[in-house]
Amino acid sequence: MHVDPLIVEKKPEERAGLVSSPFQTQAISSPSVTVEQLFESTGNCCEGRGLNVLLYGAVGTGKSTVVRKLVLDWCSGTTLTHFKLLVPFSCEDLSQLSKVASLRDMVGRKYLHLTKHPLLSGEGDQAKNVLFLFNGMEKMNLDFRIGSSELCSDPNEALPPGVVVVNLLRKYLLPEASILVTTRLSALDRIPQKYVSRYAQIFGFNDPDRQRAYFTSRLLQQSGETAPYQEAQALVELLYLNLQRESQLAAACFLPSYCWLTCATLHFLHFTDAKAPIRTLTGIYTSFLRLNFGGEVLGTGTGTNVPIQEQQSSLMLYVVRTVGKLAFDGVAYKRTSFSEKELEQWIGGKTKTDEELRQLAMFQTDVLDFFLVPCVESGKHLPKELSESDERQYVFSVPEMQEYLAALYVVLGENKSALEKLTGQVSVAIGQASEDVGALFNILSKFIPLRIFAVFNLIKLFPKLYEKISTYNKGSIARTMAAELFRTEDSNNEDVLDQVEQTLLGVHGPQPKQYSEGKPFELYPIFMGGLLHYGNRVLLQQLGCTIQSTTVAQITRALRKYLVRELSKPQPPEELMDLLVLLYEFQNPRLTAEVIATIRAIPLSNIRMTPLKCFILSSVLSCTPASYHLERLDLSSCLLTNDMLQILWPAFRHTRNLNLQFNSLGPDSCIILRDLLRNPKSAIRSLQLCDNPLQDSGVRTLLEALPENQSLTHLSLMHTGLGDQAALELAGKLQQHTGLQELNVAYNNIRDNAALALVDACREHPSIHTLHLYLNPLSDVGKKSLYVRGVPKSQDGSGRKVRVLASVTEGSDISEDWHPILRVIRENASSWDRQRVKQQLKIFLRDLEWGRQQQQSLWKRLHFRRVEKGVRKTLQMLEKDAPYTG
């Protein structure tokens, strides 16, 4: 899978022309060229010498990918076939070599089968069939001065790797060989112009069509099966619509690296299932930075005699201390855009020495545009005073990157106060000294006056004082995570995974309600938790950003306390979903189990569940011990599907009261629920399946579990399409389950005979005390018979009394259960058939009027009037289409 980026050949005098905005590349008139075209012979090159091609571009434009694709195509014989030997080298690897070696030895060490290859012998013009690839030349400190790099023409002469590469480029060593070098923009002039035959700049994906081609090949290739394939096609279309708007996403996807990040995030959001390897959003972003900055260093430039390893520092750590600091300030003050003056202040404001100025220039040339781009969505999330000014505003390429870098800045401890930093430095220095002279103090204490000795002891205790300050600082990080996760002003926003999806695909239709001012930063605390996971810490350590295990332990201990404190308060479903995401990103089973143990209910009603969210819920609950049981799991109106139910199986096993109403689950879903109820470890006591089209076939499947299940006490099949035949089968199987206490089959298609059979079966059942039958097509005679059947036949104990809820009246009296009947109708009327419900309410009014006329007592008439008022109010609510307010 590969989409060619835009590569434009440059004249030597044009090579310094950089593109400042992604959309300016659309004005480039020069045609795109391929790497193969760059090695076509030109009349300007010297006869008998190979070409030196320099391919340069910013971080993330796709230089390394082009090189890998070139190697694969050459191996398959589809490009550069006139070269008989292609030798790729990583300049990062070469920079780490400390011993001298000849060219042939360097090739033989990396590629054993090429040891002593005749084409590299230097004899005749055999080297014209050889192409050398040097990827990432900026990682080598090449010096073309004669005094620093001696001349060499013998491929068997042992020299430092940098000197060998310089002589290849000088054409002193194997002059007939061709060379392709890739490098970053800041290192463009490290190779003198006279040694470069052709310059070519790589611009990435400069138009939406290239971006769409990448998204199509990547997403459709990974989807595989038919259903995911169709979903992937829909995602590509939504992405393309968002790109055509010249959105901020289009500016980011100008770099192929961000196209990779977009596809990886969408695949995580839409194609996660129980069979896939565990991925986290934090892990995706950490891998993204590892791919782009792994081994990247911020060098001091050329012309120094200091060894290359000593003069370079981690580029990622420099990013955290500059761009991360800017990101943290934006999160702290709810800002996503920054002016040019602010960029200068935060990123280069404290630069003083010449060395720091050189590093800053390299950083601004190579890396800054990777993270910050001009804002193309003017006025969005901008403070009023800024949006009205003419000064250009800059934003992070993708909004989530700001939250990730801010989280990394905090977790690495870069936001310490000056006192904390000074305390830490002094503590380390004194701690090391105290180890060396500790024994000496013990001897001198016998001769030194008491007051002086007290000063020495105070110095020795200084590291312990710092440890206390450090522990307090880690506690403040945990407190920040909990506070940011449960911010009151963000509590009504959509859950964080939906926000990430909207960033990528845009919002189609009505804009979601935004309750907080500015952009909510709800990923920020989740990234903080995810960065503490061991796998992410290993990747960050490779980038030069170390998070100590002691730091993780301190933050984890404090975080548990703060999360439990926040969970003691009622939280909306969106906030609970964000908590589950945080615990999943953390990947710490012990912490997860301790936090979940304090939760008795997880209400997630009206959350748009996806396979990923279901997987997160199951993963989190799977961390708890087998003895833990959730009292209530509310998944009503969550758009669940059969596949999601399968993913949720581990979560259901820990649940006692399961609410699955309003999910459009069909008969096939009952197979999963049947197997769940049959499972001996199932602890489900209440199962609510209201408003799901289960039909008779689905209910029959569900009934197969009754003989083997011993935990179920409440079963609700209201408005599930249940007919007479399935109702009769239900009546016949009730005796096989002795624990059931309440059965709800209201608002179905059950008529008199089937209803009477159910009442008889419930009366003979040892434990059922309530049966719901209202809103079924029952005749007046049938309703009267139901109440008569609900009363025991005799006083000798044969049969039991069963509450039968069929209408608001019982003959000429008011039913004791009129109030719960009306409450259920009001709560669910918005999703039910309005005409059918209105018809039933009018029947209730008719029965009430007839019953009131039969009463002689004034008090009873007033009671009838009160119930009539409630029914009329419900009827008016339906006619006005007003929501139920409780």
Side-chain angles (χ1 to χ4, degrees):
M1 189 218 67
H2 180 73
V3 175
D4 292 322
L6 174 65
I7 301 176
V8 176
E9 185 174 2
K10 295 278 189 176
K11 296 178 181 177
E13 59 272 15
E14 297 176 338
R15 68 186 188 280
L18 306 181
V19 178
S20 58
S21 171
F23 295 108
Q24 290 181 12
T25 57
Q26 296 178 0
I28 294 176
S29 56
S30 304
S32 179
V33 297
T34 63
V35 176
E36 187 172 19
Q37 290 172 332
L38 293 173
F39 282 96
E40 294 176 354
S41 60
T42 60
N44 298 330
C45 64
C46 298
E47 187 66 31
R49 289 194 174 187
L51 294 176
N52 289 350
V53 176
L54 183 57
L55 179 65
Y56 63 95
V59 174
T61 48
K63 302 183 295 295
S64 297
T65 304
V66 166
V67 168
R68 286 196 295 269
K69 183 65 166 55
L70 180 67
V71 173
L72 290 173
D73 287 348
W74 180 83
C75 291
S76 62
T78 57
T79 189
L80 296 173
T81 53
H82 57 285
F83 292 112
K84 297 181 180 178
L85 180 62
L86 187 147
V87 186
F89 278 108
S90 164
C91 291
E92 180 183 357
D93 294 341
L94 294 178
S95 69
Q96 302 299 320
L97 296 178
S98 56
K99 296 181 180 180
V100 296
S102 68
L103 174 61
R104 301 187 79 177
D105 287 341
M106 286 168 53
V107 174
R109 286 179 186 177
K110 189 168 180 64
Y111 307 102
L112 294 177
H113 63 289
L114 298 182
T115 303
K116 303 299 181 181
H117 197 285
L119 292 180
L120 301 176
S121 64
E123 299 176 0
D125 62 350
Q126 294 183 91
K128 68 180 181 180
N129 297 318
V130 179
L131 172 63
F132 288 99
L133 278 176
F134 293 101
N135 187 32
M137 189 270 295
E138 71 279 351
K139 297 171 186 174
M140 294 188 71
N141 192 20
L142 300 183
D143 194 340
F144 283 80
R145 293 175 298 178
I146 298 293
S148 300
S149 301
E150 59 184 278
L151 299 177
C152 170
S153 59
D154 183 3
N156 296 304
E157 182 178 353
L159 292 170
V163 177
V164 173
V165 175
V166 166
N167 280 285
L168 281 171
L169 291 168
R170 283 172 173 165
K171 296 303 180 186
Y172 274 87
L173 182 60
L174 301 184
E176 301 86 4
S178 295
I179 302 172
L180 174 64
V181 176
T182 68
T183 187
R184 295 196 310 228
L185 295 169
S186 62
L188 186 58
D189 292 328
R190 290 191 187 178
I191 302 178
Q193 180 182 333
K194 62 181 179 180
Y195 298 130
V196 179
S197 309
R198 280 182 169 179
Y199 290 94
Q201 184 171 1
I202 182 169
F203 288 101
F205 299 150
N206 66 313
D207 60 81
D209 290 332
R210 288 180 190 266
Q211 296 166 1
R212 182 179 187 178
Y214 179 91
F215 292 138
T216 301
S217 56
R218 176 79 187 273
L219 290 173
L220 297 186
Q221 182 189 53
Q222 290 185 338
S223 58
E225 300 174 7
T226 304
Y229 185 85
Q230 294 173 349
E231 184 177 357
Q233 285 184 314
L235 289 178
V236 171
E237 292 302 321
L238 292 175
L239 264 175
Y240 188 60
L241 288 174
N242 202 15
L243 295 172
Q244 285 183 313
R245 299 192 193 109
E246 289 197 352
S247 63
Q248 203 65 55
L249 178 67
C253 289
F254 159 72
L255 296 176
S257 290
Y258 279 104
C259 291
W260 179 93
L261 179 62
T262 299
C263 287
T265 305
L266 283 175
H267 196 271
F268 171 70
L269 291 174
H270 285 269
F271 302 112
T272 297
D273 55 40
K275 299 177 183 177
I278 292 180
R279 294 296 304 270
T280 64
L281 195 60
T282 314
I284 289 173
Y285 274 76
T286 307
S287 300
F288 170 72
L289 294 177
R290 175 66 181 84
L291 287 171
N292 287 282
F293 296 99
E296 294 283 355
V297 291
L298 200 62
T300 59
T302 58
T304 60
N305 295 319
V306 183
I308 190 75
Q309 290 85 357
E310 297 180 12
Q311 57 174 290
Q312 295 174 332
S313 59
S314 165
L315 178 57
M316 193 63 226
L317 193 57
Y318 191 89
V319 169
V320 173
R321 291 172 176 169
T322 52
V323 183
K325 189 175 183 180
L326 176 72
F328 174 73
D329 182 73
V331 170
Y333 294 99
K334 295 292 180 184
R335 297 182 53 203
T336 59
S337 64
F338 310 91
S339 65
E340 292 184 5
K341 290 182 180 179
E342 288 173 319
L343 294 188
E344 292 177 4
Q345 173 190 350
W346 286 103
I347 295 175
K350 296 183 180 179
T351 303
K352 295 179 181 179
T353 65
D354 290 344
E355 183 55 41
E356 288 174 337
L357 285 171
R358 275 197 297 269
Q359 288 186 343
L360 177 63
M362 293 171 64
F363 177 76
Q364 290 177 329
T365 302
D366 293 333
V367 182
L368 190 58
D369 289 341
F370 182 83
F371 292 103
L372 291 159
V373 295
C375 180
V376 297
E377 297 177 358
S378 59
K380 184 177 181 181
H381 296 312
L382 301 186
K384 196 170 185 180
E385 60 273 13
L386 291 180
S387 59
E388 292 175 354
S389 65
D390 294 329
E391 190 174 5
R392 169 172 281 185
Q393 297 293 314
Y394 290 84
V395 297
F396 281 83
S397 300
V398 292
E400 292 77 19
M401 185 59 72
Q402 178 180 355
E403 299 181 71
Y404 179 90
L405 290 177
L408 186 56
Y409 179 77
V410 173
V411 172
L412 286 175
E414 293 297 328
N415 65 327
K416 294 177 183 175
S417 65
L419 174 63
E420 288 173 324
K421 290 181 180 179
L422 178 62
T423 306
Q425 293 167 359
V426 175
S427 172
V428 171
I430 295 180
Q432 293 172 348
S434 64
E435 291 176 3
D436 298 332
V437 299
L440 181 62
F441 280 164
N442 291 331
I443 297 172
L444 294 179
S445 63
K446 300 178 181 179
F447 309 101
I448 295 176
L450 183 62
R451 274 182 277 182
I452 299 178
F453 183 63
V455 174
F456 285 142
N457 277 335
L458 180 62
I459 292 175
K460 291 173 67 178
L461 289 173
F462 199 91
K464 295 183 179 179
L465 176 64
Y466 168 70
E467 185 179 349
K468 290 185 177 180
I469 296 175
S470 176
T471 302
Y472 176 80
N473 182 50
K474 305 304 183 296
S476 66
I477 293 177
R479 186 167 59 250
T480 300
M481 291 171 65
E484 290 291 334
L485 186 67
F486 295 107
R487 286 176 63 92
T488 305
E489 57 266 37
D490 296 338
S491 61
N492 291 315
N493 294 331
E494 296 187 55
D495 67 82
V496 68
L497 295 178
D498 280 354
Q499 293 178 32
V500 173
E501 184 180 61
Q502 289 169 6
T503 301
L504 299 178
L505 301 181
V507 179
H508 303 271
Q511 291 286 332
K513 289 184 178 180
Q514 195 73 31
Y515 295 90
S516 56
E517 294 183 6
K519 181 189 182 301
F521 292 99
E522 297 181 81
L523 260 180
Y524 166 56
I526 292 173
F527 277 143
M528 289 172 70
L531 287 169
L532 300 179
H533 177 233
Y534 177 75
N536 291 323
R537 287 191 285 127
V538 169
L539 291 178
L540 287 171
Q541 192 166 15
Q542 296 172 10
L543 291 168
C545 302
T546 303
I547 303 174
Q548 300 293 340
S549 297
T550 53
T551 300
V552 177
Q554 291 171 352
I555 295 176
T556 303
R557 282 195 299 269
L559 180 63
R560 178 192 175 280
K561 179 178 67 175
Y562 291 117
L563 287 179
V564 170
R565 181 185 302 173
E566 292 292 338
L567 287 171
S568 63
K569 311 167 191 174
Q571 300 293 343
E574 292 79 9
E575 294 298 290
L576 282 175
M577 190 68 239
D578 291 349
L579 168 70
L580 295 173
V581 175
L582 169 64
L583 294 175
Y584 174 77
E585 292 283 327
F586 210 136
Q587 291 290 305
N588 185 324
R590 183 175 178 179
L591 172 71
T592 300
E594 291 175 349
V595 172
I596 293 297
T598 64
I599 300 177
R600 309 316 303 169
I602 300 182
L604 297 177
S605 59
N606 295 306
I607 293 291
R608 185 183 65 90
M609 293 299 284
T610 63
L612 172 62
K613 294 176 188 177
C614 295
F615 182 70
I616 288 174
L617 176 58
S618 288
S619 298
V620 168
L621 287 178
S622 295
C623 294
T624 58
S627 58
Y628 170 79
H629 290 104
L630 196 65
E631 283 300 324
R632 181 169 60 92
L633 177 59
D634 187 354
L635 294 172
S636 59
S637 303
C638 289
L639 304 177
L640 294 178
T641 63
N642 294 345
D643 293 337
M644 293 184 199
L645 288 184
Q646 194 69 52
I647 298 173
L648 285 167
W649 177 285
F652 292 161
R653 286 175 54 183
H654 287 275
T655 304
R656 286 195 172 123
N657 298 305
L658 179 59
N659 186 348
L660 296 176
Q661 62 184 11
F662 297 109
N663 277 301
S664 300
L665 298 174
D668 293 340
S669 304
C670 293
I671 299 174
I672 300 171
L673 296 174
R674 175 201 63 191
D675 295 340
L676 175 67
L677 292 175
R678 278 178 169 176
N679 192 299
K681 296 181 180 179
S682 173
I684 293 179
R685 295 176 181 172
S686 173
L687 179 60
Q688 298 183 52
L689 295 171
C690 321
D691 294 274
N692 288 297
L694 305 180
Q695 305 300 327
D696 283 0
S697 59
V699 174
R700 288 193 189 97
T701 302
L702 197 62
L703 293 180
E704 296 173 9
L706 290 183
E708 301 174 45
N709 179 270
Q710 300 300 323
S711 62
L712 196 64
T713 59
H714 293 74
L715 178 61
S716 178
L717 298 172
M718 180 172 63
H719 197 208
T720 54
L722 189 64
D724 286 343
Q725 191 61 39
L728 290 170
E729 292 183 28
L730 174 59
K733 290 196 175 185
L734 282 180
Q735 298 300 325
Q736 299 177 11
H737 189 285
T738 57
L740 204 60
Q741 298 176 11
E742 185 172 354
L743 178 63
N744 189 341
V745 289
Y747 195 13
N748 280 299
N749 299 313
I750 301 174
R751 302 185 182 276
D752 293 354
N753 291 335
L756 290 171
L758 275 173
V759 173
D760 289 340
C762 291
R763 190 186 61 213
E764 300 299 326
H765 194 276
S767 58
I768 294 180
H769 54 69
T770 305
L771 175 64
H772 300 255
L773 282 166
Y774 44 87
L775 297 185
N776 277 296
L778 302 173
S779 65
D780 293 338
V781 176
K783 291 177 186 176
K784 294 177 183 178
S785 301
L786 291 177
Y787 294 114
V788 173
R789 294 285 186 93
V791 179
K793 294 180 180 178
S794 62
Q795 303 297 324
D796 60 359
S798 62
R800 300 169 51 256
K801 181 175 181 180
V802 177
R803 290 174 59 202
V804 180
L805 282 66
S807 177
V808 293
T809 59
E810 294 181 8
S812 59
D813 292 326
I814 295 288
S815 171
E816 295 177 359
D817 303 303
W818 70 269
H819 192 271
I821 292 174
L822 286 184
R823 188 186 72 249
V824 171
I825 293 175
R826 288 170 184 166
E827 290 175 352
N828 299 283
S830 60
S831 59
W832 286 351
D833 182 354
R834 297 295 180 90
Q835 295 301 321
R836 179 171 172 179
V837 175
K838 287 179 184 178
Q839 182 181 0
Q840 289 292 328
L841 290 175
K842 290 175 181 177
I843 293 174
F844 287 170
L845 284 177
R846 186 196 65 191
D847 294 343
L848 287 168
E849 290 175 1
W850 180 83
R852 176 166 47 82
Q853 294 171 3
Q854 308 302 314
Q855 303 300 323
Q856 302 296 325
S857 169
L858 178 61
W859 183 86
K860 285 191 174 183
R861 288 188 179 185
L862 291 175
H863 189 36
F864 269 89
R865 291 281 189 187
R866 179 189 170 199
V867 179
E868 282 184 53
K869 183 179 179 181
V871 175
R872 292 186 189 278
K873 183 178 179 181
T874 306
L875 192 58
Q876 290 173 0
M877 181 189 75
L878 287 173
E879 290 173 346
K880 293 180 180 178
D881 198 20
Y884 173 61
T885 58

